[in-house]
Structure formats: C-alpha cells, structure tokens
Amino acid sequence: MVSSVQENSKSVSAEPSAELNCIDLSTPDIQSSVSLVKQACLDCGFFYVVNHGISQEFMDEVFAQSKKFFDLPIEEKMKVIKNEKHRGYTPILDEYLDPVNQINGDYKEGYYIGVEVPEDDPRAKKVFIGPNMWPAADTLPGWRETMERYHLEALAVARAVGRLISLALNLRSDFFDQPVMLGDPIGILRLLHYEGHVSDSIKGTYGAGAHSDFGFITLLTTDDVLALQICKNKDAEPKVWEYVAPLKGAFIVNIGDMLERWSNNVFRSTLHRVLRTRQDRYSIVFFVEPREDCLVECLPTCRSEENPPKYPPIECETYLLQRYRETQTDPSSYKI
C-alpha cells in the first residue's frame, strides 16, 4: 500500500522513503495494534492510522474550506492575525523551527484553532485557553462550523490513539483519558499552506525547519504532495532523512517531546521537516496536549532503581510556553 502511494505522489525524489507501521482503529485485535504502536514509538515515533471514523468526504470538505481561507487577499487574512492566545492567522516566516540551519523562518502560512472557551470563563485567563478568532461568516459561510466539527472528530481519534499508547506503556487503557490529560485537553487544530517554491537547503529555506513536536501526539493529514521527511536518529551526524509518503484517508501520527519526557525517553520523538516543492501543499495538523495544569512527570511504568527519572516534573502550560517562545513570533510584534 505504501509503495503505491509513493508512486502516485506529486513529488519524486531519489531519497529513501520510510516504512511506517499502519494501525487500523477498527480492528478487534487490540493486542496487535498495541504491539504495532509500541514498536513504532520505540523505533521512530511515527505511524499511520486508518479506519479512524472520519469520512473521506468530510476530510475533503475541510481541505476545501482551508484552501478558501488561504485564497483570501492578505488584507482579509490579517484581520484575524494570531493573538496572544495563539489563535488565528500566522503569516509566512512566523515560525522559526530550526534557527541553526534556516536563514529565515518557515515558508508557510497557517491558522490556529483551539478549544472554544468563552472570554468570561475562569479558564480563559490561561495562556492557551479562550475564544477562537474566526473569519467573518459572510466572507466564508460555514467555515467555522466545519472547523469546529473537525476539531471534535479529530480529538476522538486522538483519544483512541492515546488508549493504545497507554497499553503500550503498560498502563491501564484509560490512563490518558483522565480529565487533567485528554479528558479536558489543549487541542490545537492548525491549517497549513506551503506555497509552490522549491526548498534550498544551501540557502536555508524550508517549508518547515527540522524540529520535533512539543507535545503529546500530533495527527497530520495532508494532500498527495511528497514533502514530509523524518530523521529516525536525531543524534546522528550527518542526518539521514527519509520521506513519509502521504496515505489517502489516513492520519500520519507522531509522538512529541512531552511524551518522550513522560516516558523517560522510552518512547522517542523524531526530527521532521517539510521541503517545499513546485506544487502548493496543504495539510491539517491536530496537536494534542494534556490540560494546562497537568503535571508531566515520569510515568510509574517507565522508572526503576536502574532507570531513575531523567527530567524534573513540569506543568504542561509552563513547558509549552517555553517551547513557543523559542520558535514563534511574539504576536505583539506584528505590524498590521
């Protein structure tokens, strides 16, 4: 299946393609799924998820609505520029994921959508919690409703994957379903558009610079442009990059640094990057983090006298703030 996807991708490269485990969420053989997830998380932290319950028809509609937003004039997009809650539009070069190798920031534009929390809710005082910013309904009719529905459906998939990860870590299946974790999470939907210009590693220009994701897990769905690369051994020099082939109807799932920290480095987050190609590329990313006040500390099944905790406990909000400040433009610096 993977090889046929590679052949049909819009970008052809001599660089190798990664072989990733494929997890079927509809199978009754839970133990097999747990084994595949565990192997993937020990190996490279990336895997496919299929039969996840989100219809292809609806997925196509989300992509169509995303493209409608990015097709708007820049003046319209800037009306919903990212605020201090990290909601709204992010222009090209907003993120700087790999300052060592990038001359400028990432050549992509995006749009952040989080859990909708009213302004008068006590939780809205938190950094990553509050109301979303939405394009005007008369500009993009039905846009908000489509994105809110997708946010809910993607969160259900993330919780299903979280249960497999729980079992792979020898925890009870509902461990991450606790309210302080995925029961009441920070779920961030991000729409992305990469313009059709070829990346130049010598000049340090990338669609997205090499990085590992900050949080718990990430669910990615993308069009059929072959542009995502992973480096399974992030400590290796020189880096060996492999393409991840798009798989129609599937999520590409990867674990983040927070889960690596939680698991005491048992499970691995992995460096990845996006190379721009001659085709425009669209992707939809769903970042899943525990609740902002969740204390991330070494899991009981990942520590022993021989393998004590490698990291001190840290609150999720504190950790995410550190990572955002390292990589993202301060919204107060925008010139509108």
Side-chain angles (χ1 to χ4, degrees):
M1 180 186 294
V2 174
S3 60
S4 63
V5 173
Q6 292 166 354
E7 289 165 6
N8 291 329
S9 296
K10 289 183 180 177
S11 178
V12 179
S13 173
E15 294 190 50
S17 292
E19 294 185 10
L20 302 182
N21 287 350
C22 190
I23 286 80
D24 184 343
L25 289 187
S26 68
T27 181
D29 189 353
I30 300 300
Q31 192 52 54
S32 174
S33 296
V34 170
S35 296
L36 288 170
V37 167
K38 184 172 184 176
Q39 181 188 38
C41 291
L42 291 170
D43 175 35
C44 68
F46 269 78
F47 51 92
Y48 296 107
V49 165
V50 298
N51 294 326
H52 41 68
I54 301 180
S55 71
Q56 187 60 53
E57 181 183 24
F58 181 54
M59 199 78 83
D60 292 341
E61 175 63 17
V62 178
F63 272 99
Q65 292 286 2
S66 175
K67 186 175 185 302
K68 284 181 181 179
F69 174 80
F70 291 120
D71 283 345
L72 292 174
I74 187 62
E75 295 80 10
E76 283 295 317
K77 291 184 281 192
M78 291 298 284
K79 290 178 181 178
V80 284
I81 192 70
K82 183 179 72 173
N83 62 16
E84 70 282 355
K85 298 284 187 181
H86 297 279
R87 308 293 178 89
Y89 174 65
T90 56
I92 289 174
L93 307 183
D94 178 78
E95 253 185 320
Y96 218 125
L97 291 171
D98 185 11
V100 173
N101 296 301
Q102 285 180 269
I103 304 301
N104 298 307
D106 290 356
Y107 281 86
K108 67 177 188 290
E109 55 180 345
Y111 199 97
Y112 281 102
I113 301 165
V115 177
E116 184 75 23
V117 176
E119 192 76 56
D120 58 357
D121 189 299
R123 252 188 104 191
K125 296 178 181 178
K126 297 289 187 178
V127 177
F128 296 99
I129 307 299
N132 285 298
M133 299 184 69
W134 299 105
D138 58 349
T139 302
L140 293 174
W143 198 88
R144 173 176 177 171
E145 291 76 11
T146 298
M147 298 308 163
E148 288 185 322
R149 176 186 163 190
Y150 184 82
H151 194 288
L152 287 172
E153 294 195 17
L155 181 55
V157 177
R159 286 175 173 146
V161 174
R163 293 179 193 117
L164 295 176
I165 291 174
S166 296
L167 293 170
L169 288 167
N170 298 315
L171 300 162
R172 65 179 191 272
S173 63
D174 62 350
F175 179 84
F176 291 117
D177 286 335
Q178 297 176 65
V180 76
M181 297 180 189
L182 301 191
D184 189 15
I186 300 173
I188 300 172
L189 170 61
R190 195 173 187 196
L191 314 174
L192 293 172
H193 170 226
Y194 302 84
E195 292 184 350
H197 300 282
V198 177
S199 292
D200 188 332
S201 58
I202 296 175
K203 294 181 179 179
T205 60
Y206 295 93
H211 67 287
S212 51
D213 289 347
F214 309 156
F216 180 65
I217 58 172
T218 303
L219 276 60
L220 166 70
T221 182
T222 184
D223 57 22
D224 58 353
V225 178
L226 187 65
L228 173 66
Q229 292 184 317
I230 65 173
C231 175
K232 290 182 178 179
N233 184 355
K234 56 189 172 186
D235 299 319
E237 290 296 344
K239 299 283 188 287
V240 177
W241 294 97
E242 298 175 274
Y243 278 99
V244 174
L247 191 57
K248 185 74 170 178
F251 281 110
I252 299 169
V253 179
N254 66 281
I255 67 173
D257 297 339
M258 189 180 294
L259 183 53
E260 181 177 87
R261 182 184 186 115
W262 230 335
S263 71
N264 212 23
N265 290 359
V266 173
F267 284 176
R268 299 174 52 210
S269 63
T270 296
L271 280 179
H272 52 286
R273 66 185 185 185
V274 175
L275 302 185
R276 296 193 301 165
T277 70
R278 290 183 176 83
Q279 296 86 24
D280 278 32
R281 179 179 185 262
Y282 295 87
S283 62
I284 300 167
V285 194
F286 192 66
F287 299 102
V288 186
E289 335 291 4
R291 202 170 68 192
E292 67 276 4
D293 59 344
C294 178
L295 189 66
V296 179
E297 56 184 335
C298 183
L299 295 167
T301 56
C302 298
R303 59 190 297 174
S304 64
E305 289 186 11
E306 297 77 24
N307 186 30
K310 296 177 175 62
Y311 307 98
I314 189 170
E315 274 201 351
C316 174
E317 182 182 66
T318 303
Y319 178 76
L320 290 178
L321 269 175
Q322 290 175 358
R323 301 301 300 275
Y324 269 72
R325 286 169 180 156
E326 292 168 0
T327 60
Q328 303 217 351
T329 301
D330 184 345
S332 65
S333 69
Y334 290 131
K335 294 181 175 65
I336 300 178

